[in-house]
Amino acid sequence: MSALPARLAPVLGLLALIGLWEALVRVFGVPPSQLPAPSLIATTLFDNGPRLLAATATTLTEALQALVLAAAGGVALALLFVWSPWLEKTFLPLAIALQVTPLIAVAPLLLIYLEPSAAVLACAFLVAFFPVLSNASAGLKATDRGLIELFRLKGASRAQTLFLLRLPAALPQIFTGFRIGGGLALIGAVAAELAAGAAGRGEGLAFRIVEAGYRLKIPVMYAAVGLLCLCGVALYGGLAALGQILLRRWRDEPRI
C-alpha cells in the first residue's frame, strides 16, 4: 500500500462511518430527538456557527493556557526533583494526590472561590500538570550513566550536567508528556465548564452543551461534541507535529 492511501485510510473510514450513520437514521426513521442524522448536525452547526465557534475558541484557549502553565510548571518541578531528591520526597505525594482526586469533585469547589474562567483554567491545569511532571522526571532520570560520568570527568558542574545533558536527553519524553497533557487539559476544561454550566455560569463549548440539553436541542449537542472532538484531534496533531519538527535529530533513521 502506497503512503498516500495509507494516510487517507482514517479519513475514508470516518466518511464511511458517517455515511452508514446517515443511511441507518433515514432507513429506520429515527427521530432527531433520539439520534440526529449527520446532515442535520452539519446544518445545525452552520446555523449556529458564530455562537458555537466562539464557544470553541473559548474552550480551546483555556486548554492551551492550561497546557502552557502545566508544561512550564511540570518541567521546572521535575528539574527541581532531579536537583534535590529531598524536594521530590516532600512534594511528589502532593502532586499524586491532586492527580488522583476526581476532577468532578474539585470543580464545584473551585467555582466557589474563583471566577468561572479562572476555575476552568485551574481545573485544566491540575489534570495536565502531573503527566508533564511524570514524563519529564522519568526522562531526566533516564540519562545514560556513562555520559553523566563523562561530564563529571570533564569537570562539569551539577547545573551544567542538568541543563546541557539531562534536559536535552529528556526532550522526547517531555514532549510525550506535552501530548498527553494537551488532551487532558481539554478534558479538564470541559469538565469544569460542565460544572459551571450546571451552576448557570460559563462561556465555553461544554456550557453550550449543557444549555442545549436543558432546551432539548439534541442536534446542537451533537454539533458541539463534534467540535470538541475536532479540537482534541487538532491539539494532539499540532503537538505531535511540533515534536516531530523539534526532535527530528532523535528520530533520524540510518541511511542504507
Side-chain angles (χ1 to χ4, degrees):
M1 182 180 292
S2 62
L4 184 59
R7 293 180 179 179
L8 290 177
V11 178
L12 296 176
L14 179 61
L15 292 177
L17 181 61
I18 292 175
L20 179 62
W21 179 356
E22 181 80 25
L24 291 176
V25 169
R26 292 183 179 275
V27 169
F28 292 99
V30 181
S33 59
Q34 294 181 5
L35 182 63
S39 57
L40 178 59
I41 296 173
T43 302
T44 302
L45 180 60
F46 180 80
D47 294 338
N48 297 270
R51 186 174 62 170
L52 290 179
L53 289 178
T56 302
T58 299
T59 300
L60 192 56
T61 300
E62 292 165 344
L64 288 173
Q65 289 175 341
L67 177 60
V68 171
L69 293 175
V75 173
L77 191 58
L79 289 170
L80 288 177
F81 283 175
V82 173
W83 183 269
S84 174
W86 181 86
L87 288 175
E88 181 176 14
K89 293 178 181 179
T90 303
F91 292 105
L92 185 58
L94 177 60
I96 295 174
L98 291 174
Q99 177 67 19
V100 301
T101 302
L103 182 63
I104 199 64
V106 175
L109 294 176
L110 292 176
L111 285 168
I112 297 175
Y113 304 104
L114 301 174
E115 293 295 323
S117 58
V120 170
L121 181 61
C123 287
F125 168 79
L126 287 176
V127 295
F129 175 76
F130 187 78
V132 176
L133 172 63
S134 178
N135 280 274
S137 296
L140 291 169
K141 293 177 182 178
T143 307
D144 185 85
R145 301 300 303 179
L147 293 176
I148 294 176
E149 292 299 327
L150 177 60
F151 265 59
R152 290 175 179 172
L153 289 174
K154 295 294 184 179
S157 64
R158 290 183 64 192
Q160 289 175 324
T161 302
L162 181 60
F163 289 102
L164 299 181
L165 175 61
R166 287 182 181 269
L167 184 58
L171 285 178
Q173 284 188 263
I174 290 175
F175 268 87
T176 299
F178 290 170
R179 290 199 301 272
I180 298 172
L184 290 178
L186 184 62
I187 293 173
V190 169
E193 286 179 358
L194 288 174
R201 301 180 292 172
E203 302 177 333
L205 201 52
F207 174 74
R208 297 302 174 192
I209 294 175
V210 174
E211 181 184 47
Y214 285 149
R215 298 180 181 181
L216 298 180
K217 295 183 177 180
I218 308 303
V220 176
M221 296 179 68
Y222 272 87
V225 170
L227 287 175
L228 279 177
C229 292
L230 290 177
C231 286
V233 172
L235 189 58
Y236 183 90
L239 290 171
L242 181 63
Q244 289 283 350
I245 294 172
L246 297 180
L247 304 180
R248 189 173 300 168
R249 57 177 295 187
W250 274 268
R251 295 184 172 90
D252 285 343
E253 296 182 357
R255 297 180 180 178
I256 301 177

